[in-house]
Amino acid sequence: MSFGTSRLPRPVILDDIRGAQKMLSGVARTTAMEGSRYLTRLVGAPVLLKCENLQRTGSFKLRGAYVRIAGLSPEERAAGVVAASAGNHAQGVALASTLLGVRSTVFMPVAAPLPKVAATRDYGAEVRLHGQVVDETLAAAQEYARDTGAVFIHPFDHPDIIAGQGTVGLEILEQCPEVRTVVVGIGGGGLAAGIALAVKSLRPEVRVVGVQAEGAAAYPPSLRAGRPVAVRTPQTMADGIKVGRPGDVPFQIIQELVDEVRTVSEDELSSALLLCLERAKLVVEPAGASPVAALLSDPGAFRGPVVAVLSGGNVDPVLMERILRHGMAAAGRYLSLRLRVTDRPGALATMLTVLSGADANVLDISHVRTDPRLGLAEAEVEVHLETKGPDHCAEVATALRSAGYTILP
């Protein structure tokens, strides 16, 4: 989907981003640009990964947060700042505030992953757990700002935030001057807007492609409507881009400068995360893997050299385990089956022999004998297997059926 241009004055200009880059010198890292041989072969052109997952705090968020807080007046700094976030923005605000000597309070959902809560505290913020969902957490933070006078630091809907995130775009052009396509995930839009503004201001012929999760894709309907439109109850594993409504400020820039917005499925996100871990040896969160997911889903659609922005690497270990299992299943390397077997001594061992002969690795197995749906001489087995790909999954199923087993739906 391609979009027209906006005639409104831009809220951020290239000089703002250049000023942010100077401000961030010695604060934010110039993150590495790593080549990917696997993606290069798949796309048929050079693919480079911009590793913001290796940024301080584990994501690009430090850039915008620091620029925003650094721009406050002495009176505003004295009042402190407040933010609401489930993870990356929280850590960015916490560290930026500490570096600038500003008191920070960060509201996080009650169910926020413990490692992210601990990291936010370690970076110097006072953490308050409130609300079951981010909207409730956001309301609490805004109420705190009204009651105390603390400055609310929005995660994406402010020109200073966009200017800070736009420094990623300047680095991309410095590290890969021949780039022809930049692919970046979109949540509220701060990172994509900043990158698009930096890149298009200097190299207007470079194509900028945004990526959203299918279950939280507010930008496609918003761009069709010509204004931000909210998506009810966004659902995706990619918390970093799980935003129900585009920000007003980034929307204006994205509407004008981003060439296309694509969506990716949960299967594609988990497969991309697995690929980053296995092939690139990079720990990337689902939102950070979204550009890779777009390349995997339609590799012929991107002219190279391509730069895919890995926006963050803060993933909860418990969620990582679930995602990796999901990714392995999507890649045909993890197979779950329910079988009917005869309830007699040695039946389970016989079934395992069939699986061994098919070269399938058993990860977990459960044996049910007391379900009323079963006959007197029947048992049900649920088995989780590690396999070698879709063809191997089919071979395992064929081997079981050939041995007389019934595979249940």
Side-chain angles (χ1 to χ4, degrees):
M1 167 184 312
S2 298
F3 311 104
T5 58
S6 168
R7 295 182 180 179
L8 295 174
R10 292 177 187 165
V12 185
I13 60 174
L14 179 62
D15 283 348
D16 297 326
I17 299 174
R18 284 178 165 152
Q21 189 175 45
K22 292 179 182 178
M23 188 182 296
L24 289 168
S25 177
V27 176
R29 296 183 180 129
T30 298
T31 51
M33 188 91 79
E34 298 288 343
S36 170
R37 286 184 294 178
Y38 179 86
L39 290 172
T40 293
R41 287 196 302 269
L42 185 70
V43 172
V47 175
L48 297 150
L49 306 175
K50 176 62 172 167
C51 299
E52 282 296 291
N53 58 312
L54 303 180
Q55 184 57 260
R56 297 178 71 179
T57 75
S59 88
F60 69 96
K61 289 287 189 177
L62 172 64
R63 297 173 183 264
Y66 188 92
V67 173
R68 173 76 174 100
I69 297 168
L72 298 178
S73 68
E75 294 77 18
E76 288 172 324
R77 291 194 188 195
V81 299
V82 60
S85 168
N88 289 347
H89 181 58
Q91 294 172 68
V93 168
L95 179 56
S97 299
T98 297
L99 293 173
L100 290 163
V102 177
R103 183 179 72 258
S104 62
T105 303
V106 176
F107 285 76
M108 303 182 76
V110 172
L114 293 179
K116 294 185 178 182
V117 174
T120 303
R121 287 196 175 112
D122 287 345
Y123 286 129
E126 176 189 348
V127 175
R128 300 193 180 192
L129 300 178
H130 182 93
Q132 298 301 317
V133 296
V134 174
D135 286 345
E136 295 173 358
T137 309
L138 179 63
Q142 291 172 327
E143 182 180 1
Y144 177 90
R146 289 192 296 270
D147 292 345
T148 65
V151 179
F152 179 68
I153 306 299
H154 199 284
F156 51 82
D157 205 11
H158 192 280
D160 289 347
I161 295 288
I162 293 170
Q165 320 307 28
T167 59
V168 177
L170 294 182
E171 289 179 17
I172 288 171
L173 294 181
E174 292 163 2
Q175 294 170 305
C176 183
E178 67 277 18
V179 62
R180 297 181 71 185
T181 306
V182 177
V183 190
V184 56
I186 300 182
L191 178 62
I195 288 176
L197 182 57
V199 170
K200 292 286 192 177
S201 296
L202 295 168
R203 293 276 307 284
E205 75 280 7
V206 174
R207 187 170 179 80
V208 178
V209 178
V211 184
Q212 292 207 287
E214 285 179 355
Y219 264 88
S222 298
L223 290 164
R224 287 193 294 269
R227 57 181 176 78
V229 174
V231 171
R232 293 183 180 179
T233 60
Q235 295 294 328
T236 176
M237 69 174 78
D239 287 345
I241 53 175
K242 187 180 177 181
V243 177
R245 182 186 183 278
D248 293 325
V249 180
F251 176 80
Q252 179 186 336
I253 297 170
I254 287 172
Q255 183 182 36
E256 178 185 358
L257 298 178
V258 171
D259 297 284
E260 181 183 10
V261 174
R262 290 173 167 256
T263 60
V264 292
S265 69
E266 299 298 283
D267 283 351
E268 289 162 346
L269 284 168
S270 56
S271 295
L273 187 147
L274 184 61
L275 184 143
C276 288
L277 186 63
E278 288 190 326
R279 298 299 183 98
K281 314 306 178 194
L282 292 169
V283 176
V284 181
E285 63 190 84
S290 60
V292 175
L295 296 177
L296 292 176
S297 67
D298 190 7
F302 302 90
R303 293 188 304 166
V306 178
V307 173
V309 181
L310 308 183
S311 59
N314 293 318
V315 57
D316 178 47
V318 175
L319 177 61
M320 173 69 91
E321 181 182 8
R322 289 170 48 203
I323 293 170
L324 290 179
R325 282 180 174 260
H326 189 86
M328 289 178 69
R333 293 168 51 194
Y334 183 85
L335 180 62
S336 297
L337 297 172
R338 289 191 307 124
L339 309 170
R340 287 279 170 85
V341 301
T342 303
D343 187 16
R344 58 175 174 76
L348 191 57
T350 301
M351 186 201 73
L352 292 174
T353 299
V354 174
L355 291 172
S356 177
D359 203 21
N361 184 33
V362 177
L363 299 174
D364 188 28
I365 191 167
S366 61
H367 191 207
V368 178
R369 305 171 67 186
T370 56
D371 193 307
R373 294 171 297 178
L374 298 171
L376 289 175
E378 287 183 324
E380 182 176 305
V381 174
E382 182 173 351
V383 60
H384 302 279
L385 307 168
E386 184 181 6
T387 51
K388 300 174 182 178
D391 292 341
H392 190 211
C393 288
E395 291 169 9
V396 171
T398 298
L400 288 167
R401 292 191 181 98
S402 298
Y405 293 100
T406 301
I407 299 177
L408 302 174

